[in-house]
């Protein structure tokens, strides 16, 4: 048997439609459409309902750990406000009867709205022996 005019009969794949697109390709395309549509809907919803209140930063102690050169205070900074805070300055102060023993500070580059970030400040003195006060000194809005 010889080929006539260069054409061959190709086997028909029942998993492909007339345009040559497989069912798997349609499924993947549908999933992609759902993901993109869902992302757009989420962004629109967030943009319309987002709370525009200024950042509200609260700092709390998670743990105090001894180290080779002093003590580390692991802390959490939470922004319960509706806007992002940048360059959040956090101060830790050890006091004894109103007298300041030592201060330490850390700066968080970025604290998004309704989020929490962890940081560490260091002291030479044991924070467990004194009153430890943590507070956000200030921030910059982007």
């Amino acid at each position: 048997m010889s080929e006539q005019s260069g054409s061959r009969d190709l086997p028909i794949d029942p998993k492909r439609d007339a345009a040559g697109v497989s069912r798997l390709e349609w499924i993947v395309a549908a999933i992609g459409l759902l993901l993109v549509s869902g992302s757009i809907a989420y962004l629109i919803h967030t943009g319309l309902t987002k709370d525009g209140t200024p950042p509200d930063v609260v700092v709390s102690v998670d743990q105090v750990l001894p180290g080779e050169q002093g003590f580390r205070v692991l802390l959490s900074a939470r922004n319960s406000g509706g806007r992002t805070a940048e360059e959040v300055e956090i101060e830790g102060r050890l006091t004894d009867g109103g007298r300041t023993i030592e201060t330490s500070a850390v700066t968080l580059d970025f604290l998004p709205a309704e989020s929490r970030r962890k940081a560490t400040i260091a002291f030479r003195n044991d924070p467990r022996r004194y009153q430890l006060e943590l507070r956000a000194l200030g921030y910059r809005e982007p």
Side-chain angles (χ1 to χ4, degrees):
M1 284 182 127
S2 67
E3 245 178 71
Q4 295 180 7
S5 66
S7 67
R8 291 187 258 169
D9 288 334
L10 296 175
I12 298 174
D13 185 355
K15 294 181 182 174
R16 293 195 173 268
D17 64 10
V21 180
S22 72
R23 288 186 190 122
L24 180 60
E25 289 172 314
W26 280 112
I27 292 169
V28 170
I31 291 171
L33 178 63
L34 286 172
L35 290 173
V36 170
S37 299
S39 297
I40 291 171
Y42 171 77
L43 291 172
I44 290 171
H45 173 71
T46 302
L48 293 175
T49 61
K50 187 175 178 182
D51 180 13
T53 60
D56 184 12
V57 180
V58 177
V59 185
S60 61
V61 175
D62 292 337
Q63 193 174 9
V64 176
L65 299 172
E68 289 186 30
Q69 296 185 8
F71 295 85
R72 295 169 289 158
V73 175
L74 284 61
L75 58 91
S76 293
R78 182 175 51 88
N79 179 3
S80 59
R83 292 192 300 229
T84 297
E86 289 186 357
E87 299 173 12
V88 180
E89 292 183 52
I90 297 172
E91 178 188 66
R93 181 182 303 261
L94 298 179
T95 60
D96 185 21
R99 183 175 59 99
T100 299
I101 305 298
E102 186 178 356
T103 61
S104 184
V106 66
T107 301
L108 299 176
D109 294 331
F110 189 70
L111 187 57
E114 299 177 19
S115 72
R116 180 182 308 266
R117 293 288 184 265
K118 298 199 176 276
T120 301
I121 56 175
F123 292 101
R124 287 185 305 259
N125 295 289
D126 187 349
R128 297 169 292 195
R129 292 183 52 211
Y130 302 99
Q131 182 176 353
L132 172 60
E133 300 169 1
L134 293 174
R135 68 184 184 118
L137 295 176
Y139 57 84
R140 184 176 69 80
E141 289 190 45

